[in-house]
Amino acid sequence: MDDKRKLVIASGNPGKLRELSALLEPLGYELHAQSEFDVPEAEETGTTFVENAIIKARNAAAHTGLPAIADDSGIEVDALDGAPGVYSARFSGPGADDASNNTLLVEKLRDVPEQQRGARYRAVLVYMRHAADPSPIICEGSWEGRIILEPRGDNGFGYDPHFWLDSHGCTSAELDPAEKNRLSHRGQALRELVQRLQRKAA
Ligand code: IMP
C-alpha cells in the first residue's frame, strides 16, 4: 500500500525542492514541484510576505488538488521604512537582478550613517491542506543584520554580500551554506514547519 502523502511545492526552484524534500520525505511525504502539474505562476499581489505565500500555496493547491507548501521572503531595511520587503526580488524594476538590486540599495543608503542601516531578512512558509483551507500552518523566520556599502563574499545570493552580521563579523555571503541554513530566516521557518507537520502527523 502506498501511504505516502503527496505534497506540491509552489516553486520552480530546484534548490528549494531539494531542501524541502530532504526534510519532509523522512516524515512520509512525497514532494512534487508545481511544474510537474503545469501550474501557472500566481501573481504576487500581496503587500505582506504572508499574503504572498498564501496566494502561491492556494494557487498550487487549487490547480493540483493536493496539499501545498509555498514560501515568500525578502529583506526589510529600517532606514527605508521596511523596503524593499515583498518587492525584494523586483526592487530595481523590470529586468531586476541581484546586481541591479544591490546597486540601488547601496545608492539609497549611501548617506545613511552605518549605525542606522539596520535590516532583517524575513521568510514565511505556508502549508495548506487544500485551496479553501481556512487555517493554514504559517511559519516565520527573521534574521537581523546591517547593510554595508562594499560587498563582501561569494556565497549565497541576492543581498547576501551586503548583509553584515555583527555576531559573526562577516556578511551572509561569507558564511558556508550549512552555517547560513542554521542561522537564516529560511532555515528557522523550515525547521518550525517540519516540527509542526511532525506534530500534526503524530
Ligand atoms: P523569493 O522569496 O524567492 O521570492 O525571494 C525574494 C527575494 O528576497 C530574493 O530574490 C532576494 O532578493 C531576497 N532574499 C530572500 N532571502 C534571501 C537570502 O537568504 N539572501 C539574499 N537575498 C535574499
Side-chain angles (χ1 to χ4, degrees):
M1 187 184 75
D2 182 12
D3 59 357
K4 280 200 168 173
R5 287 160 291 177
K6 285 191 179 182
L7 269 182
V8 60
I9 308 303
S11 167
N13 181 328
K16 283 185 188 170
L17 186 68
R18 263 198 310 276
E19 193 178 35
L20 280 166
S21 296
L23 291 167
L24 296 181
E25 286 189 348
L27 305 186
Y29 291 98
E30 181 184 294
L31 272 63
H32 295 272
Q34 67 176 13
S35 54
E36 292 175 46
F37 305 92
D38 292 327
V39 175
E41 289 286 322
E43 211 188 327
E44 295 180 35
T45 51
T47 55
T48 60
F49 298 114
V50 69
E51 282 172 286
N52 281 340
I54 288 174
I55 286 169
K56 290 186 267 188
R58 187 183 290 132
N59 179 61
H63 281 88
T64 60
L66 293 173
I69 291 178
D71 75 334
D72 200 43
S73 63
I75 192 167
E76 293 173 356
V77 179
D78 294 336
L80 304 178
D81 293 329
V86 295
Y87 305 105
S88 293
R90 347 164 217 171
F91 188 34
S92 53
D97 59 14
D98 289 347
S100 62
N101 287 337
N102 280 318
T103 300
L104 180 59
L105 183 67
V106 165
E107 252 170 50
K108 286 188 180 285
L109 295 179
R110 194 163 298 286
D111 297 326
V112 175
E114 202 180 318
Q115 292 312 323
Q116 290 167 30
R117 284 194 236 121
R120 70 209 49 76
Y121 281 129
R122 287 200 190 273
V124 173
L125 265 171
V126 163
Y127 168 89
M128 296 184 83
R129 290 166 293 175
H130 52 77
D133 189 346
S135 53
I137 295 178
I138 297 172
C139 304
E140 300 185 61
S142 71
W143 195 19
E144 291 292 322
R146 194 151 56 80
I147 304 300
I148 56 167
L149 301 180
E150 288 300 321
R152 287 179 49 154
D154 299 314
N155 298 333
F157 68 101
Y159 299 93
D160 283 335
H162 292 276
F163 191 72
W164 181 260
L165 302 161
D166 280 328
S167 54
H168 287 65
C170 67
T171 66
S172 48
E174 294 177 287
L175 295 175
D176 71 62
E179 178 75 343
K180 186 182 168 193
N181 283 339
R182 206 174 61 73
L183 300 168
S184 80
H185 50 314
R186 196 169 299 100
Q188 295 167 30
L190 258 174
R191 285 188 293 275
E192 188 192 334
L193 180 69
V194 169
Q195 279 177 9
R196 289 178 64 181
L197 287 174
Q198 225 161 359
R199 251 183 269 146
K200 194 173 80 63

